[in-house]
CSV table of all heavy atoms in Angstrom, one decimal:
chain,number,residue,atom,x,y,z
B,96,ALA,N,-96.8,47.0,93.6
B,96,ALA,CA,-98.1,47.4,94.3
B,96,ALA,C,-97.8,47.8,95.7
B,96,ALA,O,-98.3,48.8,96.3
B,96,ALA,CB,-99.1,46.3,94.2
B,97,SER,N,-96.9,47.0,96.4
B,97,SER,CA,-96.5,47.3,97.8
B,97,SER,C,-95.7,48.6,97.8
B,97,SER,O,-95.8,49.3,98.9
B,97,SER,CB,-95.7,46.2,98.4
B,97,SER,OG,-96.5,45.0,98.5
B,98,ALA,N,-95.0,48.9,96.8
B,98,ALA,CA,-94.3,50.2,96.7
B,98,ALA,C,-95.2,51.4,96.7
B,98,ALA,O,-95.0,52.4,97.4
B,98,ALA,CB,-93.4,50.3,95.5
B,99,TRP,N,-96.3,51.3,96.0
B,99,TRP,CA,-97.4,52.3,96.0
B,99,TRP,C,-98.0,52.3,97.4
B,99,TRP,O,-98.3,53.4,98.0
B,99,TRP,CB,-98.5,52.0,95.0
B,99,TRP,CG,-98.0,52.2,93.6
B,99,TRP,CD1,-97.4,51.4,92.8
B,99,TRP,CD2,-98.3,53.4,92.8
B,99,TRP,NE1,-97.2,51.9,91.5
B,99,TRP,CE2,-97.7,53.2,91.5
B,99,TRP,CE3,-98.9,54.6,93.0
B,99,TRP,CZ2,-97.8,54.1,90.5
B,99,TRP,CZ3,-99.0,55.6,92.0
B,99,TRP,CH2,-98.4,55.3,90.8
B,100,ALA,N,-98.2,51.2,98.0
B,100,ALA,CA,-98.8,51.1,99.4
B,100,ALA,C,-97.9,51.8,100.4
B,100,ALA,O,-98.3,52.4,101.3
B,100,ALA,CB,-99.1,49.7,99.8
B,101,ALA,N,-96.6,51.6,100.2
B,101,ALA,CA,-95.6,52.3,101.1
B,101,ALA,C,-95.7,53.8,101.0
B,101,ALA,O,-95.4,54.5,102.0
B,101,ALA,CB,-94.2,51.8,100.8
B,102,ARG,N,-96.0,54.3,99.9
B,102,ARG,CA,-96.2,55.7,99.7
B,102,ARG,C,-97.6,56.2,100.1
B,102,ARG,O,-97.9,57.4,100.2
B,102,ARG,CB,-96.0,56.1,98.3
B,102,ARG,CG,-94.6,56.1,97.8
B,102,ARG,CD,-94.4,56.4,96.3
B,102,ARG,NE,-95.2,57.7,96.0
B,102,ARG,CZ,-94.7,58.9,96.1
B,102,ARG,NH1,-93.5,59.1,96.7
B,102,ARG,NH2,-95.4,59.9,95.8
B,103,GLY,N,-98.5,55.3,100.4
B,103,GLY,CA,-99.9,55.6,100.7
B,103,GLY,C,-100.6,56.3,99.5
B,103,GLY,O,-101.4,57.2,99.7
B,104,GLU,N,-100.2,55.9,98.3
B,104,GLU,CA,-100.7,56.6,97.1
B,104,GLU,C,-101.5,55.7,96.2
B,104,GLU,O,-101.1,54.6,95.9
B,104,GLU,CB,-99.5,57.1,96.3
B,104,GLU,CG,-99.9,57.9,95.0
B,104,GLU,CD,-98.7,58.4,94.3
B,104,GLU,OE1,-97.5,58.2,94.7
B,104,GLU,OE2,-98.9,59.0,93.2
B,105,PRO,N,-102.8,56.1,95.9
B,105,PRO,CA,-103.6,55.2,95.0
B,105,PRO,C,-102.9,55.1,93.6
B,105,PRO,O,-102.2,56.1,93.2
B,105,PRO,CB,-104.9,56.0,94.8
B,105,PRO,CG,-104.9,57.0,96.0
B,105,PRO,CD,-103.5,57.3,96.3
B,106,ILE,N,-103.2,54.1,92.9
B,106,ILE,CA,-102.6,53.9,91.5
B,106,ILE,C,-103.7,54.5,90.6
B,106,ILE,O,-104.8,54.1,90.5
B,106,ILE,CB,-102.4,52.4,91.2
B,106,ILE,CG1,-101.5,51.8,92.2
B,106,ILE,CG2,-101.9,52.3,89.8
B,106,ILE,CD1,-101.3,50.3,92.0
B,107,PRO,N,-103.3,55.6,89.9
B,107,PRO,CA,-104.3,56.3,89.0
B,107,PRO,C,-104.7,55.5,87.8
B,107,PRO,O,-103.9,54.7,87.3
B,107,PRO,CB,-103.6,57.6,88.6
B,107,PRO,CG,-102.1,57.2,88.6
B,107,PRO,CD,-102.0,56.2,89.8
B,108,CYS,N,-105.9,55.7,87.4
B,108,CYS,CA,-106.4,54.9,86.2
B,108,CYS,C,-106.0,55.6,84.9
B,108,CYS,O,-106.6,56.5,84.4
B,108,CYS,CB,-108.0,54.8,86.3
B,108,CYS,SG,-108.6,53.7,85.1
B,109,VAL,N,-104.8,55.1,84.5
B,109,VAL,CA,-104.2,55.6,83.2
B,109,VAL,C,-104.0,54.6,82.2
B,109,VAL,O,-103.4,54.8,81.2
B,109,VAL,CB,-102.9,56.3,83.6
B,109,VAL,CG1,-103.1,57.5,84.5
B,109,VAL,CG2,-101.9,55.3,84.2
B,110,LEU,N,-104.6,53.4,82.4
B,110,LEU,CA,-104.5,52.3,81.4
B,110,LEU,C,-105.9,51.7,81.2
B,110,LEU,O,-106.7,51.5,82.2
B,110,LEU,CB,-103.6,51.2,82.0
B,110,LEU,CG,-102.1,51.6,82.2
B,110,LEU,CD1,-101.4,50.5,83.0
B,110,LEU,CD2,-101.4,51.8,80.9
B,111,THR,N,-106.1,51.3,80.0
B,111,THR,CA,-107.5,50.7,79.7
B,111,THR,C,-107.6,49.4,80.5
B,111,THR,O,-108.7,49.0,80.9
B,111,THR,CB,-107.6,50.4,78.2
B,111,THR,OG1,-106.6,49.5,77.8
B,111,THR,CG2,-107.6,51.7,77.4
B,112,ALA,N,-106.5,48.6,80.8
B,112,ALA,CA,-106.6,47.4,81.5
B,112,ALA,C,-107.1,47.7,83.0
B,112,ALA,O,-107.8,46.9,83.6
B,112,ALA,CB,-105.3,46.7,81.6
B,113,MET,N,-106.7,48.9,83.5
B,113,MET,CA,-107.2,49.3,84.8
B,113,MET,C,-108.7,49.6,84.8
B,113,MET,O,-109.4,49.2,85.7
B,113,MET,CB,-106.4,50.5,85.3
B,113,MET,CG,-105.0,50.2,85.7
B,113,MET,SD,-104.3,51.6,86.6
B,113,MET,CE,-105.2,51.6,88.1
B,114,ALA,N,-109.1,50.3,83.8
B,114,ALA,CA,-110.5,50.6,83.7
B,114,ALA,C,-111.3,49.3,83.6
B,114,ALA,O,-112.4,49.2,84.2
B,114,ALA,CB,-110.7,51.5,82.5
B,115,ASP,N,-110.8,48.4,82.8
B,115,ASP,CA,-111.5,47.1,82.6
B,115,ASP,C,-111.7,46.4,84.0
B,115,ASP,O,-112.8,46.0,84.3
B,115,ASP,CB,-110.7,46.2,81.7
B,115,ASP,CG,-110.7,46.6,80.2
B,115,ASP,OD1,-111.5,47.4,79.9
B,115,ASP,OD2,-109.9,46.1,79.5
B,116,GLU,N,-110.6,46.1,84.6
B,116,GLU,CA,-110.6,45.3,85.8
B,116,GLU,C,-111.0,46.0,87.1
B,116,GLU,O,-111.7,45.4,88.0
B,116,GLU,CB,-109.1,44.7,86.0
B,116,GLU,CG,-109.0,43.8,87.2
B,116,GLU,CD,-109.7,42.4,87.0
B,116,GLU,OE1,-109.9,42.0,85.9
B,116,GLU,OE2,-109.9,41.8,88.1
B,117,PHE,N,-110.6,47.2,87.2
B,117,PHE,CA,-110.7,48.0,88.5
B,117,PHE,C,-111.8,49.1,88.5
B,117,PHE,O,-112.2,49.6,89.5
B,117,PHE,CB,-109.4,48.5,89.0
B,117,PHE,CG,-108.4,47.4,89.2
B,117,PHE,CD1,-107.4,47.2,88.2
B,117,PHE,CD2,-108.4,46.6,90.3
B,117,PHE,CE1,-106.5,46.2,88.3
B,117,PHE,CE2,-107.4,45.6,90.4
B,117,PHE,CZ,-106.5,45.4,89.4
B,118,GLY,N,-112.2,49.5,87.3
B,118,GLY,CA,-113.2,50.5,87.1
B,118,GLY,C,-112.8,51.9,87.6
B,118,GLY,O,-113.6,52.7,87.9
B,119,GLY,N,-111.5,52.1,87.7
B,119,GLY,CA,-111.0,53.4,88.2
B,119,GLY,C,-109.6,53.2,88.9
B,119,GLY,O,-108.9,52.2,88.6
B,120,GLU,N,-109.3,54.1,89.7
B,120,GLU,CA,-108.0,53.9,90.5
B,120,GLU,C,-108.1,52.8,91.4
B,120,GLU,O,-109.1,52.3,91.8
B,120,GLU,CB,-107.7,55.2,91.2
B,120,GLU,CG,-108.6,55.5,92.4
B,120,GLU,CD,-108.2,56.7,93.3
B,120,GLU,OE1,-107.4,57.5,92.8
B,120,GLU,OE2,-108.6,56.7,94.4
B,121,ILE,N,-106.9,52.3,91.8
B,121,ILE,CA,-106.8,51.3,92.9
B,121,ILE,C,-106.6,52.1,94.2
B,121,ILE,O,-105.6,52.7,94.3
B,121,ILE,CB,-105.7,50.3,92.6
B,121,ILE,CG1,-105.9,49.6,91.3
B,121,ILE,CG2,-105.5,49.3,93.8
B,121,ILE,CD1,-104.8,48.6,90.9
B,122,PRO,N,-107.5,52.0,95.1
B,122,PRO,CA,-107.5,52.9,96.3
B,122,PRO,C,-106.5,52.4,97.4
B,122,PRO,O,-106.0,51.3,97.4
B,122,PRO,CB,-108.9,52.8,96.8
B,122,PRO,CG,-109.4,51.5,96.4
B,122,PRO,CD,-108.7,51.2,95.1
B,123,VAL,N,-106.3,53.3,98.3
B,123,VAL,CA,-105.4,53.0,99.5
B,123,VAL,C,-106.3,52.9,100.7
B,123,VAL,O,-107.2,53.7,100.9
B,123,VAL,CB,-104.4,54.1,99.7
B,123,VAL,CG1,-103.6,53.9,101.0
B,123,VAL,CG2,-103.4,54.2,98.5
B,124,GLY,N,-105.9,51.9,101.5
B,124,GLY,CA,-106.6,51.7,102.8
B,124,GLY,C,-105.7,52.1,103.9
B,124,GLY,O,-104.5,52.4,103.8
Side-chain angles (χ1 to χ4, degrees):
S97 294
W99 287 85
R102 287 178 49 82
E104 183 179 356
I106 304 175
C108 188
V109 295
L110 299 166
T111 59
M113 287 191 67
D115 288 346
E116 180 72 21
F117 302 99
E120 71 174 18
I121 299 176
V123 172

